[in-house]
Amino acid sequence: SQQGEEDPQALSIQEGENATMNCSYKTSINNLQWYRQNSGRGLVHLILIRSNEREKHSGRLRVTLDTSKKSSSLLITASRAADTASYFCATVLVGGGATNKLIFGTGTLLAVQP
Amino acid sequence: KAGVTQTPRYLIKTRGQQVTLSCSPISGHRSVSWYQQTPGQGLQFLFEYFSETQRNKGNFPGRFSGRQFSNSRSEMNVSTLELGDSALYLCASSPGTRTTNEQFFGPGTRLTVL
């Protein structure tokens, strides 16, 4: 079963606007990662935030993590048409031992209109 | 460094057949994970191999199996194919033992079962 639920399921914005996606998860995590997938292709890693971190930035990306609410958000600023893709959050659980097992959320489909 | 490669990229099989998919990780990566992506179930973890040993396994029937070779290349096998096995199968590699590693995904193998 999937660990995370993402909200919204789909988002359509204009170029230059900001896009915010939210992810909620169920159990304690070691870290949370965000990935992008273009049209049924492989996933590309965007950013990783550890359970003891609250906010992280990478270029136009800003990720926040609230472990008390078991939620994370991904903000993409000044969106471009090339940002059109599906975005997934993925968690690595605490207590899983040495593993790279990712549990993915349901994904948000972002469409950026030129 | 070359990225993660998967072969074949597309595959069409009929029910009851078996299939073998191959994944070559990034050079130096010792962890290889497999995921199944379908419209209905999303992205689901199949298994992870590290140094030729299965380190973690998802909730899939025994028809799904895998292995890893001494050069870290991995194969997964699905026997007695069912229509529901039609999916995008993604392979991901990661450097080592830490659970805070990002995953590097290949382009996937799209399997269609008729």
Side-chain angles (χ1 to χ4, degrees):
Chain A
S1 62
Q2 286 174 312
Q3 157 86 318
E5 295 288 331
E6 291 184 58
D7 166 55
Q9 288 187 353
L11 180 61
S12 182
I13 60 173
Q14 298 292 317
E15 258 191 333
E17 294 181 336
N18 295 342
T20 300
M21 288 158 264
N22 302 296
C23 167
S24 61
Y25 56 91
K26 299 173 185 173
T27 56
S28 297
I29 61 171
N30 180 298
N31 67 76
L32 185 145
Q33 305 176 31
W34 285 90
Y35 287 83
R36 184 187 75 224
Q37 184 178 38
N38 289 87
S39 191
R41 298 181 185 175
L43 285 82
V44 174
H45 182 269
L46 296 176
I47 198 165
L48 180 153
I49 187 165
R50 294 176 175 77
S51 59
N52 61 353
E53 297 175 314
R54 291 298 167 258
E55 187 171 313
K56 209 162 182 180
H57 296 256
S58 177
R60 295 184 295 111
L61 306 179
R62 172 179 171 255
V63 168
T64 61
L65 179 64
D66 187 334
T67 52
S68 67
K69 294 181 179 178
K70 292 187 169 57
S71 67
S72 173
S73 67
L74 170 68
L75 168 67
I76 304 174
T77 59
S79 296
R80 306 165 181 167
D83 295 328
T84 294
S86 292
Y87 292 81
F88 295 91
C89 66
T91 55
V92 176
L93 302 184
V94 167
T99 178
N100 285 302
K101 175 182 177 179
L102 293 173
I103 302 179
F104 282 89
T106 50
T108 293
L109 178 59
L110 173 66
V112 182
Q113 310 297 332
Chain B
K1 277 185 180 179
V4 178
T5 58
Q6 292 187 245
T7 56
R9 292 292 311 280
Y10 302 91
L11 207 48
I12 300 175
K13 292 285 187 179
T14 56
R15 280 181 298 174
Q17 288 187 310
Q18 75 163 17
V19 67
T20 299
L21 311 181
S22 181
C23 171
S24 293
I26 291 172
S27 178
H29 285 193
R30 297 165 65 191
S31 167
V32 174
S33 299
W34 289 88
Y35 294 84
Q36 181 197 64
Q37 185 176 27
T38 60
Q41 299 300 314
L43 280 152
Q44 293 190 293
F45 173 80
L46 280 157
F47 26 66
E48 178 195 6
Y49 287 88
F50 180 80
S51 292
E52 302 178 67
T53 300
Q54 187 180 85
R55 185 157 76 173
N56 213 326
K57 188 177 188 302
N59 188 26
F60 279 81
R63 299 186 297 107
F64 292 81
S65 63
R67 58 178 175 169
Q68 186 180 33
F69 301 95
S70 58
N71 62 357
S72 292
R73 190 177 70 84
S74 177
E75 289 181 347
M76 69 163 281
N77 185 278
V78 187
S79 62
T80 318
L81 284 166
E82 301 177 358
L83 295 178
D85 298 333
S86 293
L88 181 66
Y89 289 88
L90 294 162
C91 163
S93 76
S94 187
T97 59
R98 293 186 301 125
T99 58
T100 54
N101 289 320
E102 65 182 279
Q103 302 280 304
F104 295 84
F105 281 81
T109 294
R110 182 153 310 269
L111 172 65
T112 302
V113 182
L114 303 176

